[in-house]
Amino acid sequence: MAQYRSTYTGRYSGIGRMLQRPWLYKPCRDAAVKMKALAEAEAPVGDPETDSHAGLYKASFDVVPIWKNVPFRGRPRHRPGAMLINTARHAQAVEYGDWDVPRYAPLSKAYMTLVAANRG
């Protein structure tokens, strides 16, 4: 008896329309919320007696929706997604370090933790 082998030929237009649907935002947001929890766990909290904004960095994480332009064959295509941001004024100094602040990098550590958990 001959074996039947099924084949699949994808249509770029159908896949592109699927990637533009709003329901695809939920898995992106779920991943960003997981990363937010990891980043908050890694975030430094200063001593309230000496630091006037102790805990501000940790409380300033937010997940925002985005529509990213991913061009395909020269035409703009918008894809839903989510972005984890920190709105504290000193967020860049905490993430990358400064002459007064050591490099803590909670966002980078959260990202690398999720990559390691999902890829092996």
Side-chain angles (χ1 to χ4, degrees):
M1 183 171 161
Q3 291 286 334
Y4 177 74
R5 185 168 201 156
S6 63
T7 60
Y8 169 74
T9 305
R11 288 184 16 208
Y12 287 118
S13 62
I15 294 170
R17 271 184 274 151
M18 179 187 72
L19 292 175
Q20 290 176 344
R21 298 290 179 220
W23 55 262
L24 193 60
Y25 167 70
K26 184 172 178 354
C28 298
R29 185 180 188 291
D30 291 345
V33 168
K34 286 180 189 174
M35 198 160 62
K36 178 183 176 184
L38 293 170
E40 285 175 341
E42 291 283 334
V45 178
D47 183 21
E49 294 178 5
T50 58
D51 192 358
S52 61
H53 48 75
L56 176 67
Y57 181 80
K58 187 174 186 174
S60 297
F61 285 105
D62 194 17
V63 175
V64 294
I66 61 168
W67 286 92
K68 186 174 182 177
N69 183 13
V70 181
F72 179 71
R73 293 185 180 169
R75 297 183 64 198
R77 302 286 186 220
H78 296 286
R79 305 287 189 247
M83 183 172 26
L84 175 63
I85 61 170
N86 192 300
T87 57
R89 286 182 46 199
H90 57 288
Q92 184 175 2
V94 173
E95 184 68 27
Y96 299 109
D98 202 347
W99 56 89
D100 294 331
V101 180
R103 183 176 189 263
Y104 289 100
L107 287 172
S108 299
K109 289 177 185 175
Y111 172 74
M112 295 309 291
T113 303
L114 276 181
V115 167
N118 292 320
R119 291 190 183 166

